[in-house]
Every structure is written in structure tokens, then in C-alpha cells.
Amino acid sequence: MSLARQDWLLREEAHRDRADALTAAHRDRATRAEKHPVWDFLFTYYSYKPAQLRRWHPGAGVELADAVERLDWRWYSPGRSAGSAVPDAFAFGQEKAELAALIEKMLRRTASRPGQFGCFGLHEWAMVYRAEEHRHAVTLRLGQAGTDAVVENHDLRCTHFDAFRFFTPEAVPRNRTALSRDEQPLFEQPGCLHAGMDLYKWATKLGPLIPGELLLDSFELARDIRLLDMQAAPYDLSAWDVVPVPIETPEGKAEYVRRQRVFAERGTALRTALLNAWLGDGAREAA
């Protein structure tokens, strides 16, 4: 596929406008050095700045006509026509073989499994279980004793290592499965909120191999999931107008699972789109 310069410049401009709209509130807070317990996560944990988010790429194998300026960009190669440039999945795979293998494995294996919907967001509760100090300097909605009781009255079923690794020492043995970094591909599943948010992480790491439109789609999914993640958390975030989803109640559990299923469906579609954009229909099967 090839895009004429006037066409890809229009797509680039539309992408920048969309990215700017998505990051406007964060950039405004940054001018005042104002922290936000929900939204800062999208720019600190994933370490992708608004300026990077607004950089548009066409995706692997899409040739940009009259794009000499992009030949100096990382993982771009000359196209078939003079002065054209194309994001090069092969060059990325050669330079980042280990990372490429990991991303493909995570995407494919997660997609191959059924979603699990019985965790109720208790990972955030496990992160403050019987703890004197908390990761967020925010009051607990039910107090420490009430929070601890919720953990003790539920079965912890976390499948995501990057949530599990922040469990307090007392919470770790309460999880149904002991998770590790090496075994992460064995347990990741599409119902997990963090697996859905991490689609944004994989998109950022693949850089120009992912179309800008898909990058922003993955950011929007991460943003929407992050809200539920914090609504279901044990913190009192009313000062930031965050309405809790009280997962300690039957009604809260039902709302959490309903929204979790919607995110899983969005994540499944996006996971397929990322693989297709990066590796195409002829991609090899994961080991």
C-alpha cells in the first residue's frame, strides 16, 4: 500500500489534532504541577509523553510517497519509489528480536484464551492489605480495617504479574496463583483490565509499525479501563469526582463485570488489529 504525500499529510494532521485533544487536560495540569491520582498513570507508568503520542505513523509496510524526511526516522526504510519511506517490520525484528518475540507471544497467547471475570478489581485492595503506608496518598473509602476485611472475605484471582508484584507481603499468599515475570505469558487473559491497558504499551513499543489511528485507539481503551480500575479501588477519590464502583457489594460486582466484559471485547478487536497491522495475515504462529 502506498499513500500520496497530500493524503498522508492529512492523516498526520488529523492524528495530531486527536492526540492533542486526548492529552489537553493532562498538559494543562502539568503547567500547574498538578497531580491526578487517576490520569497521571497513563503518562508515568507507560512513560509515553504527549509529544510522542501525537507523532503519526502509517504502520508496517505502508509506503509514504515523497517522505525523504522520514528516512532518518528509526525503523523506516526506503520504499519502492524514489524519495519514499516505509516502516520496516523486518528491521525492527532484527534490532529488537527479543522484544518482538515477547510482544507477539503476549498478544497471541492472550487472544487464545477465554476471558476470566471473577477478580472484581481486588488487585488494588491487595496492594494496601494490612499496610501502614499506601501507594496513593488518598484515604481508604472503608478505612484500613474495612479494606482488609474485603480482601479476607474474597478469593484473590489476579492473573496479571504487573499488578501482582505490588501486592503487600501479606496479600501475596492469598492469591490463587503465584505469578512471576517469566511465566507472565502463561497466565495473561483478555478479561484482565491490565491486559487491556497494556495493549497501549505494546503499541508504543512497536512505534512506527502501528498506524497512528490504532495507537490512539489503544490509548483510549487504556484511559477508559483506568477509570474503572480506580472506581473499583479502595480509595476515596470523591475529591476528583470519581464515583466508586463498590465491588464489596453484589451490585458493584455486577457493574464491574458488565463493564469488564465490554472492555474485553474492545481489547480482543484491538489485539487482532495490532497483530494484523504489524505482522499481516501471513504472520507466523506463536510458539
Side-chain angles (χ1 to χ4, degrees), residues 156-171:
L156 298 185
R157 304 181 182 184
C158 183
T159 59
H160 187 75
F161 176 73
D162 282 314
F164 177 76
R165 68 189 176 99
F166 291 110
F167 280 25
T168 64
E170 291 82 0

Side-chain angles (χ1 to χ4, degrees), residues 264-274:
E265 291 178 2
R266 287 174 61 183
T268 294
L270 188 53
R271 200 169 280 111
T272 298
L274 291 174

Side-chain angles (χ1 to χ4, degrees), residues 45 102 106 160-166 178-188 198 201-202:
Y45 180 80
L102 173 64
M106 293 296 293
H160 187 75
F161 176 73
D162 282 314
F164 177 76
R165 68 189 176 99
F166 291 110
L179 304 175
S180 68
R181 175 68 71 197
D182 290 343
E183 294 182 326
Q184 186 173 0
L186 300 178
F187 295 101
E188 205 84 337
D198 275 357
K201 176 176 71 175
W202 303 132

Side-chain angles (χ1 to χ4, degrees), residues 45-279:
Y45 180 80
Y46 291 112
S47 303
Y48 212 62
K49 300 182 185 303
Q52 293 172 291
L53 193 62
R54 75 194 303 267
R55 176 171 282 193
W56 177 83
H57 300 284
V62 178
E63 183 174 321
L64 301 180
D66 302 317
V68 174
E69 65 271 31
R70 295 213 175 195
L71 291 175
D72 292 331
W73 290 21
R74 196 176 189 187
W75 301 318
Y76 272 79
S77 296
R80 291 167 295 181
S81 58
S84 66
V86 56
D88 191 339
F90 179 78
F92 174 86
Q94 290 290 103
E95 183 177 336
K96 296 285 186 179
E98 187 174 343
L99 175 61
L102 173 64
I103 296 174
E104 184 177 1
K105 182 183 293 185
M106 293 296 293
L107 292 175
R108 291 196 184 281
R109 292 193 176 182
T110 303
S112 72
R113 298 188 178 102
Q116 299 175 29
F117 303 98
C119 69
F120 305 124
L122 283 162
H123 55 277
E124 287 287 342
W125 299 67
M127 294 177 192
V128 298
Y129 179 61
R130 296 187 178 181
E132 294 183 1
E133 295 184 1
H134 305 147
R135 294 179 65 228
H136 299 289
V138 181
T139 302
L140 295 178
R141 189 165 51 81
L142 302 181
Q144 187 65 59
T147 300
D148 293 346
V150 170
V151 174
E152 290 164 0
N153 290 328
H154 288 79
D155 183 20
L156 298 185
R157 304 181 182 184
C158 183
T159 59
H160 187 75
F161 176 73
D162 282 314
F164 177 76
R165 68 189 176 99
F166 291 110
F167 280 25
T168 64
E170 291 82 0
V172 167
R174 303 185 72 92
N175 201 51
R176 178 175 289 190
T177 306
L179 304 175
S180 68
R181 175 68 71 197
D182 290 343
E183 294 182 326
Q184 186 173 0
L186 300 178
F187 295 101
E188 205 84 337
Q189 48 84 23
C192 172
L193 293 191
H194 285 263
M197 282 194 284
D198 275 357
L199 291 171
Y200 174 58
K201 176 176 71 175
W202 303 132
T204 64
K205 290 186 179 300
L206 290 168
L209 309 182
I210 298 302
E213 295 80 1
L214 275 183
L215 172 66
L216 296 186
D217 287 347
S218 67
F219 177 85
E220 288 184 335
L221 178 61
R223 176 202 62 190
D224 295 348
I225 291 176
R226 174 63 178 174
L227 178 59
L228 177 59
D229 202 30
M230 288 292 95
Q231 287 179 305
Y235 302 106
D236 179 359
L237 299 173
S238 56
W240 293 271
D241 298 321
V242 176
V243 179
V245 174
I247 54 88
E248 70 275 13
T249 69
E251 296 78 13
K253 286 182 173 66
E255 180 180 352
Y256 184 90
V257 171
R258 177 184 61 79
R259 291 167 63 182
Q260 186 181 25
R261 289 184 181 276
V262 172
F263 291 140
E265 291 178 2
R266 287 174 61 183
T268 294
L270 188 53
R271 200 169 280 111
T272 298
L274 291 174
L275 281 166
N276 286 341
W278 169 28
L279 298 172

Side-chain angles (χ1 to χ4, degrees), residues 20-43:
D20 286 344
L22 288 170
T23 63
H26 174 76
R27 290 182 286 109
D28 183 56
R29 287 191 298 271
T31 64
R32 303 189 298 272
E34 181 182 321
K35 302 296 183 181
H36 198 290
V38 177
W39 304 125
D40 287 353
F41 177 88
L42 297 172
F43 303 95

